[in-house]
Amino acid sequence: MPKLRASVATEERDVYEEMLTQQEIQSGVDSVNIQVALKAVNQAVQSQDEAALLAALKLQALNLLGVQDSNGCWYLEHFNAYCQHKSKDGGRNAVLDKEEIQRVVNTCNDFAEAEKRKLEAVTRINTAIRLGIAMDTVQELMNPEAQLPIVYQTAANLYQNELFSLQLQGGRSGLGHEELSVAVEMLSAVAVLNEVLDTKDPQAVIEQLTDSPLGFTNIDQDNLNRYADMLIKDRAETLANGQEFLSWNDVQKCIDTVNIQVQEEHERIIAIAEINEALNSGDHQQTLAALLLPTAKLIGVNPALSKHYHDVLQYTKQLLCESSGDESAVLWLDQIQEAILTANQDEEEALALAAAVAHINRTVDEGDSQNTLQALQAPSAGLRAVLPECADTYQTELEHKQKDAADKGSTEGLWVKHRIKDRYDYFYNLETGQGTWEEPEGFEHNYSQLSKEDIQCVISCATAEYNRGQLWLANESFVTKLQARIRGYLVRKKHAERMEYLRRQEPHVVKLQACWKGYKQRKIHQDRMNLLWKNVASAVKIQSLVKMWKAKRQYNQRLQFFKDHEKEIVKIQAFLKANKARDDYRTLTGAKDPPLSVVRKFVHLLEQSPLDLEEEQEVTRLREEVVTKIRSNQQMEKDLNLMDIKIGLLVKNRISLQDVVSHNKKMKNKKNKATKDDLSAGDRLGIKGLSKGKRRKLEAYQHLFYLLQTNPSYLAKLIFQMPQNKSTKFMDTVIFTLYNYASNQREEFLLLKLFKTALEEEINSKVDQIQDIVTGNPTVIKMVVSFNRGARGHNTLRQLLAPVVKDIIDDRSLGINTNPVDVYKAWVNQVETATGEASKLPYEVTPEQAMSHEEVRNRLKASSQGLRSATDKVLNSIVSSLDNLPYGMRYISKVLKNSLHEKFPDASEDELLKIVGNLLYYRYMNPAIVAPDGFDIIDMSAGGQLHQDQRRNLGSVAKMLQHAAANKLFEGENAHMTPMNTYISETYEKFRLFFQSACDVPEPEEKFNIDEYSDMVTLSKPIIYISIEEIINTHSLLLEHLEAISPDRNDLLHELLQDLGDVPDVEALLGEGAVDPNDPNRENALSQLAKTEISLTLTSKFELLEGDDKDLKTLVTKTKKLIVDVIRIQHGETLPEILETPASASQESEHTRIIERRAVQDAQTPEGLKSSPAVLEDSQLPLEQKKRKITRNLRNLEQAGLVTISNKYQDLINEISKDIRYQRRYRQRRKAELVKLQQTLTALNSKTAFYQDQMNYYDTYIKTCLDNLNRKNSRRSIKLDGKGEEKGSKKWKSQSLKYTAARLHEKGVILEIEGLPTNQLKNVMFDISPTEEVGDFEVKAKFMGVEMEKVQLHFQDLLQLQYEGVAVMKMFDKAKVNVNLLIFLLNKKFYGR
């Protein structure tokens, strides 16, 4: 069988299987030819034979495209380079294949073509330069084929001029490519330098000088700032002169000039130091030599005055040491120059004075008084009080003085010594008329010469004597008056002695007058009595008529009084009924059986003290302030948000600046208007007017809002009858206003009741699945979160989150990024930045591709560790702050959980707790973590914002906590975060315990100790502050949805709405005439007036329906009040014992004093807190009558079974003790409420201040915009009018500020100056002056009076440094400056902040 199969297979093979085909043969031949050709090419490359290489490339076997004979040298060069590169990679001799050869040939051809085009481009450039058209030259330079460095089209003239100069120097051949490259690179750098100089930014100029390829020589690193300032100045001058650019030579010249100036300044400082050393040596010749040094550049130095220069400089230095308190102080340049000028002036004055004094002496010797007078009046003599009338006297006295002086010493000397300025001696030669400051050799003073002081003494004495004589002559009339007054005094003295005599005789005079007056009165009385006895019948009739008239008048007045006070009587009755209800509430509280003696000690606590009244007034005032401030802040926040939008549109040029300014003015007008209108606008003519109809309307609204406030079912149903957008606005305004933003415990209790009712209503009617609470946007949940995140819960969120959020924000090392693609891109960017080479990695990758890199995984791991650490901080802060959570949030969480459990009984505990977590964390806390600046968790300055990295860190932490609160593990797109799932599960367990504990809170009745009777026992009625518009809207909505809210027509709401009638308009509530009917803006005015707020004192129309003593509870209350009054006065072990013991007179008088004190206190009580007179009626009874009334009441109560005498009426004593305990709790609650209101008001004021800062920031921004706009307009006017520049320059006044470095060091502005000791800081002076550009300052530094450097300071740059957290900056490259304190100094001195 195998043989058979083999034979069959042999037979089946054909000729094609045995022989090669033509195609196969040709393929083999071609392959061999190609191998031979490739070998030839490789051998030609190795032998460096250009001709052989070109021939091999042209072989037909290779069939290469584009082989050109002209490119033979390029082929050989590129093949060599390619083979070297390939052999380096492979490690052995490289053999080229056909594809590689074709690729190298193509590259060579492209390169050769580029070289050809480059040479052509260079030729065109030279041609364009010769033609002299700048724009054509730049176009040719910018041609990519020229392969030149970057060219700036704006500097066309610069390129043309400089390249043309180079071309002329190079001859006719023109510029080569290498010359052009170097020249263009340098000229481009010069052009960039000119543009940088136009920005006037010294730092940018310095960077350009040091970093660019400009090639300047003699650049000193210490003088870079001065180079920059000088170049900026030269650039401005060249522009003013019409020159477009600073050339390279101009810049080099500027650098050389600065170097020379710096050298001269150093030499000048050395000269000043030598002057100070010469002063210390005490040699005036050495001082003169130092002053004459050329490097000091002092003017006006006269060698003849060397001694005086030395003395003046010594005195100046002494003053400087005394003023500074530093014995080592040295004189500066300006002080030395000033001393030289002073000494020169002293020389002139001293010579003139000495000559004048010598002339006076000569005229005195001559004996002519008139000549002497003229000499004395000479200005150079400097004599005072010289009178022509005293000429002879002067002559005589001076002659005597001269003779006396001659007797003291020699009169033969030629020299006279004068004392100048009480410090310096000046020597004058009488013969030559010259003077000197140095004492002449053989000096002998001529004593016959009077000094200036001697002459002035003679003149002063003679003039004073003359003036005294003239004074007596001029005041003769005054002497006469003096004599008259003396005579008057003598006469008055005589009269007083007479009156004193009469006063001593006064008893005798009075006795005489009394006798006479008594006689006259007795006579008149006797005459009157005789007349009356004669007319007795007529007198009786007149008296009866008068008594009848008085009785009728009193009756009519009383009757009219009752008619006029009908409303007050009704209110008194209502108050009495309310008092009964309050007493009913007190009887409900249980207590032990305290003895009467113990209760008696504390019954005084039931009295309302002045402190109670003050606290009630303060609580009422603070409530009003809190509500008003909340509404004001809400309006300011809306206005600021709108201003943000408008400024954003302004930046994007979507609206004009005037629109922003207009809105800013509206904001200010609203603020000013709010302070003026307040609550008084509605009190003038409207609903609070003094008429019966308006009063009834006011009371009807007060009854309505009391019912809405205390019965939450109405508002809860109304909320869900309105559309979503309308209900939200209704909640934000009317509902929170109705409850005064929960400013006290009562209103917080009622608001929580509303939240509970509304939430239960929403769950029952709108929630079909338990997840609807999470996926939807429940109205009540949104309302609860909004309320607790406002003023009430703001402090809680801040205390809970502020520390940890601030730690995360301040942690510069924390960088959380869990997105692998972002981490990958950041890594690639970092590598490229570090190496300066393009990365070979792709830039766009998928998360899976990014995770394949080890570096990305390491970075994600480090980021996850940072995320876990930050999350733990926030979680621990939340979990440990359970007690700080607002009670309202915890109670609503409890209601939410119970309501969902009731509707969905099959739901697990975990599902319910996740819903609670969605409320407590996701809705309440999460937004505050993501955007802490938007929820006032952290303090931000006006205009400040968080960095993008900080927001990403906070967002990552919030996302992690969100997953943990919902126990949602990472998967799908976040698969790279799956290692964190274990951590999420652990965190959820902590959250679960936290949510369970958060729901464990007491009911509001227990928490606030409030029930339906609480309003009846409080001292003051609830007050709300609501706008006219809100009243109208509420009334309208109630009527519109009345059938859905209250289907029962017998409901109280129907009765109250029927009392109110139809919905009034704004004018009906404000009063007719509130707006002029002819006013064209009447609608706008009415809409503004609709925002007017009024106060409503809420009362219940259905409080009391029964009368006085018919109710036993009222009887018990009155009895207790009487018992309290009695046991305060009378002592006893039991109540029957006290009632049976008669009161003493002292006890009655003490009781009377208590009643009077109550009356005085009640008179001083404000109207809103006063008790009704009917309540005080029983307390005003005498003590015995009270005891009788108590006995009568006790019998009635015993018959009713309320008390029994068997336990000595202990039941009543127990009730009194309960009243005392409640009063104590109420006072404590009121104090706590005061503290809470004050804290809330402080927080609101802080928020108001922040908003005010925002408004001020916007004001500054808008003013800056307006200044810039005005400056642009003024510049336009300057261009139009040539004289405008001069006028503008006259208006500009630079106000400079000078400080020594030592003073700035004391203020903390300057920390140190490198290379200068602290004790030398006093020799450095800083001169800060504002420039014409707003926000720019010029700072000059002087050392010992020599100006060293100056720098431009931009205020905006300082603010940017402050925003970036840079605390210290360098100025002049040497002085370290505190940025914050420098900003404070500039604000204080130049902006008045």
Side-chain angles (χ1 to χ4, degrees):
M1 285 296 293
K3 291 182 179 180
L4 179 61
R5 290 177 181 172
S7 62
V8 172
T10 304
E11 292 174 358
E12 289 178 352
R13 284 186 297 182
D14 56 12
V15 67
Y16 292 104
E17 294 179 356
E18 294 292 335
M19 301 180 183
L20 296 174
T21 65
Q22 181 183 4
Q23 183 178 1
E24 290 172 339
I25 294 170
Q26 185 63 49
S27 175
V29 172
D30 292 344
S31 176
V32 172
N33 291 339
I34 290 172
Q35 293 297 327
V36 172
L38 289 175
K39 184 176 181 181
V41 170
N42 283 282
Q43 288 177 350
V45 171
Q46 292 175 2
S47 62
Q48 299 291 310
D49 189 347
E50 180 181 340
L53 176 62
L54 192 60
L57 292 175
K58 288 184 176 181
L59 290 175
Q60 189 175 2
L62 291 176
N63 195 22
L64 296 175
L65 302 177
V67 178
Q68 300 177 15
D69 295 341
S70 59
N71 297 340
C73 61
W74 299 115
Y75 293 151
L76 182 60
E77 181 181 346
H78 280 72
F79 273 117
N80 282 330
Y82 186 81
C83 289
Q84 292 175 2
H85 178 72
K86 187 173 181 180
S87 62
K88 188 182 297 183
D89 292 342
R92 56 187 175 82
N93 292 333
V95 178
L96 302 175
D97 58 21
K98 181 180 179 181
E99 288 76 12
E100 291 174 328
I101 293 172
Q102 181 65 63
R103 190 160 59 246
V104 172
V105 168
N106 292 339
T107 302
C108 289
N109 291 337
D110 293 340
F111 180 79
E113 181 66 23
E115 282 294 313
K116 179 181 177 182
R117 292 179 181 177
K118 180 175 74 174
L119 295 176
E120 292 174 353
V122 170
T123 303
R124 289 196 300 272
I125 291 171
N126 280 285
T127 303
I129 293 171
R130 291 191 193 96
L131 294 176
I133 302 175
M135 294 306 299
D136 293 345
T137 302
V138 169
Q139 290 297 329
E140 294 298 336
L141 290 172
M142 294 176 67
N143 189 351
E145 295 177 353
Q147 300 181 21
L148 294 175
I150 187 170
V151 176
Y152 300 98
Q153 194 169 5
T154 56
N157 293 329
L158 178 66
Y159 293 115
Q160 174 62 40
N161 296 335
E162 297 295 329
L163 291 177
F164 184 72
S165 300
L166 289 175
Q167 196 179 58
L168 292 177
Q169 297 172 7
R172 295 184 178 181
S173 61
L175 299 174
H177 183 268
E178 185 175 354
E179 293 175 311
L180 282 173
S181 296
V182 174
V184 167
E185 183 179 15
M186 184 175 293
L187 291 175
S188 296
V190 172
V192 171
L193 178 60
N194 277 274
E195 291 182 2
V196 171
L197 290 173
D198 289 338
T199 65
K200 298 182 179 180
D201 184 356
Q203 190 60 37
V205 175
I206 292 171
E207 293 176 359
Q208 186 63 24
L209 285 174
T210 55
D211 297 341
S212 63
L214 288 169
F216 294 123
T217 59
N218 300 327
I219 291 183
D220 189 345
Q221 295 296 321
D222 294 335
N223 300 337
L224 287 175
N225 282 313
R226 300 191 64 170
Y227 296 153
D229 294 340
M230 180 68 79
L231 287 172
I232 291 172
K233 181 179 178 182
D234 288 351
R235 173 62 176 162
E237 291 177 355
T238 57
L239 290 176
N241 295 331
Q243 185 178 340
E244 189 174 1
F245 294 98
L246 282 176
S247 66
W248 186 91
N249 292 328
D250 294 334
V251 178
Q252 182 64 54
K253 182 180 177 181
C254 177
I255 291 172
D256 295 338
T257 302
V258 170
N259 290 336
I260 293 170
Q261 289 178 354
V262 171
Q263 182 63 30
E264 289 179 352
E265 289 170 358
H266 286 298
E267 291 176 353
R268 206 169 187 185
I269 291 174
I270 293 171
I272 292 171
E274 291 183 7
I275 292 172
N276 281 281
E277 289 178 4
L279 288 176
N280 293 333
S281 68
D283 186 356
H284 63 87
Q285 291 299 332
Q286 187 177 348
T287 302
L288 177 62
L291 293 175
L292 291 174
L293 287 173
T295 55
K297 294 186 178 180
L298 298 173
I299 59 175
V301 179
N302 185 356
L305 305 182
S306 60
K307 177 66 168 61
H308 192 48
Y309 289 152
H310 183 80
D311 294 340
V312 173
L313 288 171
Q314 286 282 20
Y315 179 70
T316 304
K317 185 175 181 180
Q318 180 183 352
L319 292 180
L320 179 62
C321 294
E322 291 176 356
S323 61
S324 63
D326 183 8
E327 294 297 331
S328 62
V330 294
L331 295 178
W332 290 6
L333 177 66
D334 52 353
Q335 294 169 331
I336 295 171
Q337 183 63 63
E338 184 180 356
I340 291 171
L341 297 178
T342 301
N344 292 339
Q345 187 177 359
D346 289 348
E347 168 66 17
E348 296 174 2
E349 293 176 355
L351 184 60
L353 174 64
V357 172
H359 179 57
I360 292 171
N361 280 278
R362 284 195 300 271
T363 56
V364 171
D365 287 337
E366 293 172 359
D368 189 346
S369 61
Q370 291 302 318
N371 291 339
T372 302
L373 177 63
Q374 292 178 1
L376 293 174
Q377 290 177 334
S380 57
L383 298 174
R384 302 181 303 276
V386 178
L387 299 178
E389 294 85 353
C390 301
D392 296 334
T393 307
Y394 296 154
Q395 177 66 34
T396 305
E397 293 296 329
L398 288 172
E399 289 177 353
H400 290 307
K401 188 74 173 178
Q402 206 173 46
K403 291 177 181 178
D404 294 340
D407 296 338
K408 294 180 180 179
S410 173
T411 60
E412 299 299 328
L414 297 177
W415 293 92
V416 180
K417 183 169 69 172
H418 294 278
R419 191 70 171 171
I420 305 301
K421 294 184 178 179
D422 295 331
R423 289 190 296 274
Y424 314 118
D425 291 334
Y426 185 75
F427 302 91
Y428 181 74
N429 191 304
L430 298 174
E431 183 177 339
T432 63
Q434 299 298 319
T436 180
W437 297 94
E438 297 183 34
E439 183 176 337
E441 293 183 6
F443 168 73
E444 184 178 0
H445 181 70
N446 190 335
Y447 285 94
S448 65
Q449 294 290 315
L450 296 177
S451 66
K452 178 187 175 182
E453 291 76 13
D454 297 334
I455 297 171
Q456 183 63 61
C457 179
V458 170
I459 292 172
S460 299
C461 293
T463 302
E465 188 66 27
Y466 173 78
N467 289 338
R468 192 176 300 109
Q470 294 298 317
L471 182 64
W472 284 109
L473 293 174
N475 293 281
E476 185 176 352
S477 59
F478 294 103
V479 174
T480 305
K481 287 182 180 179
L482 178 61
Q483 293 174 345
R485 293 199 175 190
I486 293 173
R487 293 190 184 100
Y489 165 74
L490 295 175
V491 173
R492 285 191 294 275
K493 181 179 179 184
K494 186 176 181 180
H495 177 265
E497 291 173 353
R498 179 63 180 168
M499 291 302 295
E500 180 63 27
Y501 168 75
L502 293 176
R503 276 194 291 273
R504 288 199 301 269
Q505 302 300 325
E506 185 177 353
H508 305 290
V509 175
V510 171
K511 193 171 184 180
L512 289 173
Q513 291 176 347
C515 291
W516 173 248
K517 289 179 180 178
Y519 166 74
K520 288 178 66 177
Q521 287 300 324
R522 283 191 296 273
K523 186 175 183 300
I524 293 171
H525 178 264
Q526 190 61 43
D527 293 341
R528 183 64 179 171
M529 291 301 295
N530 292 336
L531 178 64
L532 291 175
W533 280 113
K534 293 177 182 179
N535 297 283
V536 171
S538 301
V540 171
K541 190 173 182 179
I542 292 172
Q543 287 176 350
S544 62
L545 291 173
V546 171
K547 289 180 181 178
M548 178 185 67
W549 175 79
K550 288 177 67 177
K552 287 173 67 177
R553 187 183 69 172
Q554 187 174 4
Y555 172 76
N556 290 330
Q557 287 177 346
R558 190 64 175 167
L559 184 62
Q560 185 63 37
F561 175 80
F562 286 130
K563 290 180 180 179
D564 294 340
H565 295 82
E566 182 178 352
K567 290 183 180 180
E568 286 78 1
I569 293 171
V570 173
K571 285 188 177 182
I572 291 171
Q573 292 174 347
F575 179 80
L576 290 173
K577 294 173 183 177
N579 192 31
K580 172 188 71 71
R582 286 195 293 270
D583 291 338
D584 290 343
Y585 172 74
R586 291 191 183 101
T587 59
L588 294 177
T589 57
K592 296 180 180 180
D593 295 339
L596 181 61
S597 58
V598 174
V599 174
R600 181 184 175 277
K601 296 177 181 179
F602 301 100
V603 291
H604 66 278
L605 296 176
L606 295 173
E607 289 284 340
Q608 293 296 334
S609 66
L611 180 60
D612 291 327
L613 299 176
E614 289 178 7
E615 289 184 353
E616 286 290 342
Q617 286 181 283
E618 182 68 10
V619 167
T620 304
R621 184 187 67 80
L622 287 176
R623 286 177 193 162
E624 177 183 354
E625 283 193 34
V626 166
V627 173
T628 306
K629 189 69 71 175
I630 289 174
R631 296 169 72 93
S632 173
N633 283 352
Q634 289 176 343
Q635 185 62 41
M636 288 177 68
E637 186 175 9
K638 292 178 182 177
D639 290 340
L640 287 171
N641 290 336
L642 184 57
M643 178 59 81
D644 279 334
I645 296 171
K646 285 186 176 292
I647 289 180
L649 293 174
L650 171 65
V651 172
K652 295 182 179 180
N653 294 325
R654 299 294 176 87
I655 61 175
S656 67
L657 178 59
Q658 294 303 323
D659 294 334
V660 181
V661 175
S662 174
H663 180 70
N664 189 46
K665 289 181 179 178
K666 288 180 181 178
M667 275 202 311
K668 291 183 179 178
N669 291 338
K670 282 182 182 178
K671 180 185 173 188
N672 296 332
K673 205 169 182 182
T675 61
K676 295 177 182 177
D677 294 345
D678 277 20
L679 306 176
S680 61
D683 296 349
R684 297 190 297 266
L685 301 171
I687 192 173
K688 287 204 168 185
L690 300 176
S691 69
K692 187 174 182 180
K694 292 176 180 178
R695 190 66 186 173
R696 187 175 295 137
K697 175 76 73 173
L698 175 64
E699 290 179 350
Y701 273 120
Q702 292 176 163
H703 297 330
L704 173 65
F705 282 106
Y706 181 86
L707 180 65
L708 294 176
Q709 191 188 63
T710 54
N711 194 334
S713 62
Y714 297 129
L715 289 177
K717 294 177 181 177
L718 179 60
I719 290 172
F720 300 110
Q721 292 300 318
M722 294 184 292
Q724 178 77 14
N725 58 345
K726 196 171 182 181
S727 65
T728 301
K729 183 178 179 182
F730 180 74
M731 287 185 297
D732 289 342
T733 57
V734 177
I735 290 184
F736 291 153
T737 299
L738 181 60
Y739 292 97
N740 275 334
Y741 295 90
S743 58
N744 65 0
Q745 290 188 338
R746 173 191 174 276
E747 285 149 358
E748 185 176 359
F749 166 81
L750 294 173
L751 183 59
L752 287 177
K753 284 296 183 184
L754 171 63
F755 286 159
K756 175 186 177 184
T757 307
L759 183 59
E760 291 173 346
E761 176 76 17
E762 186 167 16
I763 290 174
N764 292 330
S765 61
K766 294 189 176 183
V767 177
D768 298 326
Q769 297 180 359
I770 193 169
Q771 286 299 319
D772 290 347
I773 294 291
V774 177
T775 58
N777 193 15
T779 303
V780 180
I781 295 295
K782 183 170 62 175
M783 182 165 57
V784 170
V785 173
S786 173
F787 170 74
N788 283 281
R789 205 188 279 137
R792 294 285 294 177
H794 169 257
N795 287 335
T796 300
L797 273 177
R798 192 178 179 93
Q799 293 172 4
L800 189 147
L801 297 176
V804 291
V805 168
K806 195 171 186 306
D807 287 345
I808 295 174
I809 291 174
D810 293 342
D811 190 353
R812 299 288 183 180
S813 63
L814 181 63
I816 301 174
N817 192 347
T818 57
N819 188 329
V821 176
D822 291 344
V823 173
Y824 171 82
K825 291 181 179 180
W827 171 50
V828 172
N829 291 337
Q830 183 179 352
V831 171
E832 291 180 346
T833 303
T835 61
E837 298 179 357
S839 175
K840 296 180 180 180
L841 296 173
Y843 195 72
E844 298 295 336
V845 295
T846 63
E848 293 77 11
Q849 292 171 337
M851 291 293 293
S852 65
H853 296 275
E854 182 67 23
E855 179 67 20
V856 174
R857 292 196 297 272
N858 292 337
R859 294 193 177 202
L860 279 176
K861 183 178 179 181
S863 184
S864 299
Q865 291 175 351
L867 174 60
R868 182 175 300 186
S869 175
T871 305
D872 282 338
K873 288 182 182 179
V874 180
L875 177 65
N876 293 334
S877 177
I878 293 174
V879 173
S880 62
S881 303
L882 176 63
D883 295 336
N884 293 332
L885 275 181
Y887 169 77
M889 286 297 299
R890 297 181 63 182
Y891 176 67
I892 295 302
S893 300
K894 175 182 178 181
V895 172
L896 176 64
K897 180 184 174 186
N898 294 340
S899 300
L900 289 174
H901 181 67
E902 184 177 345
K903 184 165 185 178
F904 305 102
D906 296 334
S908 65
E909 181 75 6
D910 271 357
E911 289 179 305
L912 296 177
L913 289 177
K914 287 179 182 178
I915 303 298
V916 172
N918 178 264
L919 169 61
L920 286 178
Y921 173 73
Y922 180 70
R923 295 183 184 272
Y924 179 57
M925 300 181 191
N926 191 72
I929 298 175
V930 175
D933 51 341
F935 292 92
D936 291 339
I937 302 302
I938 59 174
D939 295 325
M940 297 289 292
S941 61
Q945 59 182 2
L946 293 178
H947 191 268
Q948 182 180 358
D949 293 340
Q950 295 172 328
R951 289 199 184 278
R952 185 175 63 241
N953 293 342
L954 293 173
S956 300
V957 172
K959 181 180 179 181
M960 181 66 68
L961 289 173
Q962 179 185 344
H963 278 258
N967 198 20
K968 181 180 177 182
L969 302 180
F970 289 109
E971 56 187 3
E973 294 181 356
N974 297 320
H976 60 280
M977 294 292 290
T978 51
M980 299 291 287
N981 286 340
T982 304
Y983 174 73
I984 287 179
S985 300
E986 296 172 356
T987 306
Y988 169 70
E989 293 302 323
K990 297 179 182 179
F991 260 138
R992 190 175 187 276
L993 295 175
F994 174 73
F995 297 147
Q996 282 179 330
S997 303
C999 295
D1000 185 15
V1001 289
E1003 290 295 318
E1005 289 83 357
E1006 180 182 352
K1007 169 73 175 177
F1008 299 113
N1009 194 24
I1010 295 177
D1011 55 25
E1012 65 271 18
Y1013 293 103
S1014 297
D1015 279 349
M1016 301 177 186
V1017 298
T1018 54
L1019 188 60
S1020 59
K1021 295 294 183 183
I1023 300 174
I1024 65 171
Y1025 305 91
I1026 190 168
S1027 68
I1028 298 296
E1029 182 180 26
E1030 292 167 348
I1031 293 175
I1032 295 173
N1033 290 341
T1034 306
H1035 192 173
S1036 174
L1037 289 171
L1038 288 173
L1039 289 177
E1040 181 181 352
H1041 304 287
L1042 183 58
E1043 293 302 325
I1045 298 172
S1046 177
D1048 185 6
R1049 294 193 174 275
N1050 294 324
D1051 191 73
L1052 302 179
L1053 183 61
H1054 284 267
E1055 181 178 344
L1056 291 177
L1057 290 175
Q1058 188 175 1
D1059 292 344
L1060 285 170
D1062 296 333
V1063 180
D1065 56 11
V1066 175
E1067 279 193 289
L1069 295 181
L1070 285 176
E1072 297 295 333
V1075 178
D1076 187 359
N1078 299 323
D1079 188 353
N1081 296 322
R1082 187 170 182 274
E1083 293 299 327
N1084 292 334
L1086 284 175
S1087 65
Q1088 290 297 323
L1089 288 174
K1091 296 180 173 60
T1092 303
E1093 293 185 2
I1094 62 172
S1095 60
L1096 297 180
T1097 303
L1098 305 186
T1099 56
S1100 174
K1101 184 178 179 181
F1102 314 101
E1103 263 184 3
L1104 302 173
L1105 302 175
E1106 294 298 331
D1108 209 338
D1109 289 339
K1110 296 178 182 178
D1111 195 328
L1112 290 175
K1113 291 183 179 180
T1114 304
L1115 184 61
V1116 169
T1117 301
K1118 290 187 175 182
T1119 305
K1120 287 194 297 181
K1121 288 180 177 293
L1122 294 172
I1123 291 173
V1124 167
D1125 288 344
V1126 170
I1127 64 177
R1128 287 187 67 180
I1129 305 302
Q1130 281 192 258
H1131 297 199
E1133 294 297 326
T1134 62
L1135 183 58
E1137 179 184 345
I1138 293 174
L1139 295 176
E1140 292 169 0
T1141 305
S1144 64
S1146 61
Q1147 291 173 341
E1148 282 286 1
S1149 62
E1150 184 179 356
H1151 179 259
T1152 303
R1153 285 195 299 273
I1154 293 175
I1155 292 175
E1156 291 174 352
R1157 187 168 63 248
R1158 283 180 183 169
V1160 172
Q1161 180 177 331
D1162 189 64
Q1164 298 174 350
T1165 303
E1167 288 296 330
L1169 303 178
K1170 273 189 176 181
S1171 301
S1172 171
V1175 176
L1176 303 175
E1177 183 179 352
D1178 286 344
S1179 64
Q1180 294 174 352
L1181 294 173
L1183 191 58
E1184 285 300 323
Q1185 290 187 21
K1186 284 185 178 180
K1187 291 164 67 175
R1188 286 196 296 271
K1189 191 163 186 177
I1190 291 171
T1191 304
R1192 187 166 60 251
N1193 292 347
L1194 288 175
R1195 285 198 298 268
N1196 294 334
L1197 292 173
E1198 192 170 7
Q1199 290 174 2
L1202 297 179
V1203 298
T1204 175
I1205 195 173
S1206 61
N1207 62 356
K1208 310 298 182 183
Y1209 304 114
Q1210 184 63 39
D1211 296 328
L1212 278 179
I1213 305 302
N1214 292 342
E1215 291 299 323
I1216 293 172
S1217 67
K1218 291 178 184 177
D1219 294 342
I1220 295 172
R1221 289 198 297 273
Y1222 173 77
Q1223 188 70 11
R1224 178 175 174 272
R1225 287 196 298 270
Y1226 177 76
R1227 287 186 175 117
Q1228 291 175 341
R1229 193 165 66 238
R1230 185 175 59 205
K1231 288 184 181 297
E1233 184 180 347
L1234 266 174
V1235 173
K1236 184 179 288 187
L1237 285 171
Q1238 290 167 349
Q1239 292 174 348
T1240 303
L1241 190 59
T1242 302
L1244 289 171
N1245 287 332
S1246 175
K1247 198 166 188 178
T1248 303
F1250 173 75
Y1251 287 150
Q1252 188 61 47
D1253 287 343
Q1254 287 285 90
M1255 293 177 69
N1256 294 338
Y1257 175 76
Y1258 288 144
D1259 279 345
T1260 304
Y1261 177 81
I1262 292 171
K1263 287 177 182 177
T1264 304
C1265 291
L1266 289 174
D1267 288 343
N1268 293 335
L1269 183 61
N1270 293 334
R1271 189 176 297 112
K1272 290 178 182 178
N1273 293 335
S1274 64
R1275 286 178 179 173
R1276 294 191 189 101
S1277 65
I1278 289 171
K1279 291 178 181 178
L1280 294 173
D1281 183 7
K1283 298 179 180 179
E1285 184 173 355
E1286 294 179 2
K1287 294 179 181 177
S1289 63
K1290 289 180 181 178
K1291 291 182 181 178
W1292 172 254
K1293 293 182 180 179
S1294 176
Q1295 298 177 349
S1296 62
L1297 185 68
K1298 295 184 179 180
Y1299 279 102
T1300 63
R1303 181 61 178 153
L1304 292 177
H1305 182 67
E1306 291 176 3
K1307 288 177 172 286
V1309 178
I1310 288 183
L1311 303 180
E1312 65 172 351
I1313 298 178
E1314 294 178 357
L1316 193 66
T1318 305
N1319 60 358
Q1320 289 295 320
L1321 293 179
K1322 59 178 179 280
N1323 293 327
V1324 179
M1325 175 69 74
F1326 288 97
D1327 188 349
I1328 306 173
S1329 58
T1331 65
E1332 292 185 6
E1333 292 293 330
V1334 177
D1336 288 355
F1337 299 87
E1338 186 179 66
V1339 182
K1340 298 180 181 178
K1342 295 182 179 180
F1343 183 75
M1344 296 179 66
V1346 179
E1347 183 174 331
M1348 299 298 295
E1349 295 185 23
K1350 58 184 177 181
V1351 68
Q1352 288 285 336
L1353 202 61
H1354 304 287
F1355 195 72
Q1356 190 65 32
D1357 295 344
L1358 293 178
L1359 295 176
Q1360 181 67 25
L1361 291 174
Q1362 186 185 49
Y1363 169 72
E1364 293 172 356
V1366 178
V1368 179
M1369 62 172 279
K1370 268 195 174 184
M1371 200 161 59
F1372 305 109
D1373 289 334
K1374 294 180 180 180
K1376 291 186 178 180
V1377 180
N1378 186 306
V1379 176
N1380 295 323
L1381 294 182
L1382 180 57
I1383 291 173
F1384 174 81
L1385 179 68
L1386 294 178
N1387 273 331
K1388 182 178 180 182
K1389 298 298 182 182
F1390 292 103
Y1391 299 123
R1393 297 180 182 173

